[in-house]
């Protein structure tokens, strides 16, 4: 299963972070990322730029056509400022990885399961006419055979 | 105070993350994987006992390793083997708090090579690797492979005994053995994957889980062996194959074959990860091995907008190369299928007939089903019918049989 770790921080926490040398921030985060890469669980991750006032904006669908505004950044208390997507075997494992994130007071990680095909199983397209070619089965067997060395399956 | 029922899932999760490193650290300390695994188990049980009352330690991995080391010293004491080195370790344990924890990658690499040692049977390698490297519980392994828990336990016990009987050192292989040993490690990862990819038992989600487990293991191995192109190529292959999972099964669980898959449902992010891994393998500049070639074939499919628009000629070429590296009748059969798409059924039939003449794949449904398909395309309906009927009789898997029978009925 996949989980998204969503980094949220209050403006105060973002400010507090500025007291730590940026080099150290990068190192801490880098170490955390490396841990997850080594464990084979990290699928993706990005940080979001802090200069929301100049580069961020909001598309609001309250109107038709949607309106582009500078966003209600002045009034929100938490900033969404980065995410990771990890592939783990349980909710608890997602929690363990989340707890290891080098964040301080004022920051939170929201942890959410990413949907997969099982969430849409009831809507799966079922109009396929079964057209048989043994391609896939053969492909899988070939793979197994290759893994075994060159003995015939 | 945490109730015991809450500790178990958390401890399992910690074990998934740290188990391999804990066992690796202990094995490096005592030079014996089997003993290290026993000690790790004891530490695990100790945690189950003491965490509910005392709460979880700040650094659970360090805590478990320390408990394991203390048990190791007890073991040495019992065996009266306490020399200077062990005393030093005991003193170090006295001195430091339980939050000192600096696992070493090389120890984990030794662990991987030892668990996949060629003295072990494939089944033993798989069980031991999932247990000690991937940190899965015996119950989880049993569930994933749809076998009784006792069977998995037996395999692990036997594996540990075999390592002891063969006096396998806890070391990375010598340069002269490196290639063969690496190929054993990658083979174990890929066997776990193919079991997930084409399992005939269990429901589909379980199979996906197993494939995911293999991917995780593969990524870990590639991380430990960044200079080995085939380790990255194996990850590439698994990512590319898995990217098709969402499109491989219909709502009723029946398989959807490559030609009929809705390619919009392939996982593009995963395809990109796979391609990136293949580029990493290629960037090492040592050419492509068997996994690299298979990954390149999978990449051809991944990049094609439809089955007809696939670069079949390139796939034929890649299968030819793969067949020379690792001669195998199934690879030839796949090449025949690709040839039929690239140049038509007649030339493909020549390849299949030669295979049949050699008596290859006897008793398997693969050859007659491909042959039947080609004969049908050539309008030789009667012969096609007989081949497909043979294939349906030989098919092990009910779903495969149903597909063949449907094809037979459509002729």
């Amino acid at each position: 299963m996949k989980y998204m770790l969503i980094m949220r921080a209050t403006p105060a926490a973002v400010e507090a972070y500025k007291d730590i040398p940026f080099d150290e921030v990068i190192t801490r985060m880098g170490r955390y990322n490396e841990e997850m890469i080594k464990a084979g669980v990290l699928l993706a991750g990005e940080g979001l730029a802090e200069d929301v006032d100049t580069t961020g904006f909001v598309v609001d669908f309250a109107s038709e056509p949607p309106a582009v505004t500078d966003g209600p950044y002045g009034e929100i208390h938490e900033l969404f400022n980065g995410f990771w997507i990890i592939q783990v075997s349980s909710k608890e494992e997602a929690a363990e990885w989340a707890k290891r994130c080098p964040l301080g007071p004022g920051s939170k990680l929201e942890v959410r399961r990413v949907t997969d095909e099982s969430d849409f199983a009831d809507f799966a397209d079922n109009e396929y006419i079964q057209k048989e070619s043994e391609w896939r089965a053969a492909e899988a067997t070939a793979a197994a055979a290759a893994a075994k060395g060159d003995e015939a399956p | 105070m945490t109730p015991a029922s809450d500790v178990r899932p958390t401890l399992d999760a910690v074990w998934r993350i740290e188990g391999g490193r804990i066992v690796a650290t202990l094995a490096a300390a005592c030079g014996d994987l089997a003993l290290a695994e026993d000690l790790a188990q004891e530490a695990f049980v100790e945690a189950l006992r003491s965490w509910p009352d005392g709460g979880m330690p700040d650094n659970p991995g360090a805590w478990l390793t320390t408990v394991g080391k203390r048990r190791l010293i007890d073991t040495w004491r019992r065996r009266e083997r306490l020399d200077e080195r062990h005393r030093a370790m005991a003193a170090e344990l006295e001195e430091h708090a339980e939050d000192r924890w600096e696992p070493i990658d090389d120890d984990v690499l030794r662990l991987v090579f030892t668990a996949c040692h060629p003295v072990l049977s494939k089944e033993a390698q798989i069980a031991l690797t999932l247990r000690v490297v991937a940190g899965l519980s015996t119950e989880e392994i049993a569930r994933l492979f749809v076998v009784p828990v006792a069977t998995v336990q037996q395999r692990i016990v036997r594996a540990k005994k075999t390592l002891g009987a063969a006096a396998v050192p806890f070391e990375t292989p010598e340069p002269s053995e490196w290639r063969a040993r690496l190929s054993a490690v990658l083979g174990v990862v890929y066997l776990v994957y193919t079991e997930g990819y084409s399992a005939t038992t269990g429901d589909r989600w379980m199979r996906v889980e197993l494939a995911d487990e293999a991917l995780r293991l593969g990524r870990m191995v590639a991380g430990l062996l960044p200079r080995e192109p085939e380790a990255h190529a194996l990850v590439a292959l698994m990512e590319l194959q898995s990217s098709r999972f969402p499109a491989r099964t219909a709502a009723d669980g029946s398989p959807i074959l490559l030609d009929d898959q809705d390619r919009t449902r392939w996982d593009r992010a995963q395809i990109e990860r796979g391609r990136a891994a293949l580029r990493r393998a290629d960037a090492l500049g040592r050419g492509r091995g068997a996994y690299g070639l298979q990954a390149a074939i999978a990449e051809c499919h991944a990049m094609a907008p439809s089955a007809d628009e696939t670069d079949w000629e390139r796939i034929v070429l890649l299968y030819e190369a793969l067949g020379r590296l690792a001669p195998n009748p199934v690879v030839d059969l796949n090449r025949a299928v690709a040839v039929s798409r690239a140049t038509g059924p007649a030339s493909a039939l020549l390849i299949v007939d030669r295979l049949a003449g050699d008596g290859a794949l006897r008793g398997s449904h693969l050859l007659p089903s491909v042959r039947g398909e080609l004969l049908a395309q050539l309008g030789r309906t009667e012969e096609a019918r007989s081949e497909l009927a043979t294939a349906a009789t030989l098919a092990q898997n009910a779903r495969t049989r149903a597909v063949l029978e449907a094809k037979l009925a459509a002729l």
Side-chain angles (χ1 to χ4, degrees), chain B residues 44-233:
Chain B
F44 188 92
V45 172
E46 179 71 27
L48 275 181
R49 214 178 17 237
S50 70
W51 289 5
D53 299 334
M56 241 180 92
D58 287 344
N59 189 331
W63 188 97
L64 289 157
T65 308
T66 303
V67 172
K69 281 184 173 171
R70 288 204 179 113
R71 294 291 167 101
L72 174 60
I73 289 166
D74 294 344
T75 308
W76 280 329
R77 275 209 185 92
R78 276 200 304 278
R79 297 181 187 174
E80 296 181 344
R81 285 216 192 133
L82 220 52
D83 61 21
E84 209 39 58
R85 189 166 64 96
H86 305 145
R87 282 200 192 86
M89 189 169 118
E92 187 197 343
L93 283 179
E94 294 301 312
E95 206 162 311
H96 292 298
E98 284 158 3
D99 58 0
R100 290 232 335 181
W101 168 233
E102 284 168 15
I104 301 166
D105 278 353
D106 281 356
D107 290 342
V108 180
L109 190 58
R110 290 188 186 104
L111 184 72
V112 172
F113 274 112
T114 310
C116 300
H117 197 283
V119 298
L120 301 171
S121 70
K122 282 279 173 244
E123 280 176 343
Q125 290 174 339
I126 288 172
L128 195 59
T129 302
L130 290 175
R131 182 86 192 84
V132 300
V133 180
L136 286 162
S137 70
T138 313
E139 292 79 13
E140 282 172 310
I141 300 169
R143 190 173 56 83
L144 287 173
F145 281 89
V146 203
V147 293
V149 174
T151 307
V152 177
Q153 275 166 341
Q154 224 165 18
R155 282 176 193 171
I156 288 166
V157 168
R158 275 189 65 91
K160 283 157 55 171
K161 281 186 178 155
T162 307
L163 289 177
V168 171
F170 186 71
E171 277 304 337
T172 44
E174 296 294 313
S176 63
E177 286 179 38
W178 183 266
R179 272 188 71 95
R181 296 285 302 277
L182 173 68
S183 130
V185 169
L186 299 180
V188 167
V189 174
Y190 202 39
L191 271 179
V192 175
Y193 185 80
T194 50
E195 178 67 28
Y197 184 89
S198 58
T200 47
T201 42
D203 67 47
R204 55 191 277 225
W205 299 120
M206 193 172 288
R207 296 184 348 206
V208 172
E209 249 181 283
L210 193 56
D212 284 347
E213 209 49 65
L215 248 170
R216 179 170 171 163
L217 207 53
R219 291 183 196 127
M220 193 173 152
V221 169
L224 291 166
L225 295 165
R227 307 277 318 141
E228 290 295 343
E230 282 289 271
H232 296 294

